[in-house]
Amino acid sequence: MISPLKARNLHRDLGYFYIGLIISFAFSGILMNHRDSWHPEKYTVETKAISVKLPAEENINEKYAEELGKTLGIEDKIRRHNVKKGTFKISFEKHDVEIDMKTGKGEIVSFKKTPIISQAMKLHKTTSNWWIYYSDIFGLSLITIAFTGAIMIPAGKFTFKQRGWKLALAGLIVPLLIVIILD
């Protein structure tokens, strides 16, 4: 068993080492939670109304979406396209296009990446191998920080055995209830 002094030292040192990543992850996590309400990663530079003649929905594919983008003067790389609820949507690296399938009326939204926020949110989305391994080490370090924090107070009424287990249990129950309720 690790001594309370060693637990305190490990807890402190890991906390200091990861403070920047903890804050970055917390910040970008908050932003990610609200990405359906607003787009913190990007900000609109220009919105332009358009009117086009669209083919039947079954004739809309990636090649058509790319060609339409070029016709509309969009030169950046296409990310995805879809038709949902009567709206044809194309997402490019720096533009979003939405067109009503019946009327052909729509708009092109040009945007730029929001400095710092865009990079912070990328932490939650990246799939590069080095980042996955670093994130795994970070996750294990957070577990270590949690355990060392639980055992670093050796005696008294604020120990894990006396009081901490109740708070830890409450901290486990709340997310489990939310997952059960939202499922």
Side-chain angles (χ1 to χ4, degrees):
M1 176 100 176
I2 188 170
S3 75
L5 180 61
K6 285 184 180 176
R8 183 184 311 262
N9 291 341
L10 183 58
H11 182 87
R12 178 200 62 222
D13 292 346
L14 285 173
Y16 286 159
F17 183 79
Y18 285 114
I19 195 166
L21 189 55
I22 291 168
I23 292 168
S24 297
F25 251 37
F27 178 67
S28 65
I30 291 166
L31 295 173
M32 290 288 289
N33 287 341
H34 302 280
R35 68 187 176 273
D36 289 339
S37 314
W38 60 295
H39 299 285
E41 259 187 297
K42 57 189 179 183
Y43 62 93
T44 301
V45 176
E46 177 188 18
T47 302
K48 180 175 144 187
I50 57 170
S51 184
V52 296
K53 188 171 180 351
L54 294 174
E57 186 175 335
E58 58 270 7
N59 295 328
I60 293 178
N61 54 33
E62 187 161 349
K63 184 178 180 191
Y64 175 79
E66 284 178 11
E67 288 174 6
L68 179 60
K70 287 178 183 162
T71 302
L72 296 170
I74 300 171
E75 297 297 324
D76 43 312
K77 184 179 173 193
I78 190 170
R79 295 187 329 190
R80 63 188 152 284
H81 74 282
N82 66 28
V83 177
K84 191 186 268 185
K85 297 181 182 175
T87 303
F88 177 37
K89 296 180 180 182
I90 314 171
S91 177
F92 295 90
E93 286 181 341
K94 297 177 186 171
H95 298 85
D96 286 332
V97 177
E98 287 193 19
I99 305 169
D100 183 279
M101 288 294 294
K102 289 180 183 167
T103 65
K105 294 182 190 260
E107 67 181 12
I108 301 172
V109 177
S110 302
F111 58 86
K112 288 188 177 181
K113 298 281 185 180
T114 307
I116 300 170
I117 291 174
S118 174
Q119 289 84 356
M121 288 181 71
K122 205 176 261 188
L123 293 174
H124 274 88
K125 298 179 186 178
T126 188
T127 56
S128 80
N129 284 338
W130 74 268
W131 183 251
I132 289 171
Y133 294 130
Y134 187 74
S135 295
D136 289 346
I137 293 166
F138 174 60
L140 292 170
S141 296
L142 287 176
I143 292 168
T144 303
I145 289 170
F147 282 121
T148 56
I151 64 171
M152 68 185 192
I153 298 175
K157 64 180 182 178
F158 298 113
T159 64
F160 187 78
K161 193 184 268 187
Q162 293 295 314
R163 179 180 174 189
W165 72 270
K166 295 171 193 168
L167 293 169
L169 184 61
L172 282 171
I173 290 172
V174 170
L176 286 176
L177 285 175
I178 290 170
V179 167
I180 290 167
I181 290 168
L182 293 179
D183 190 28

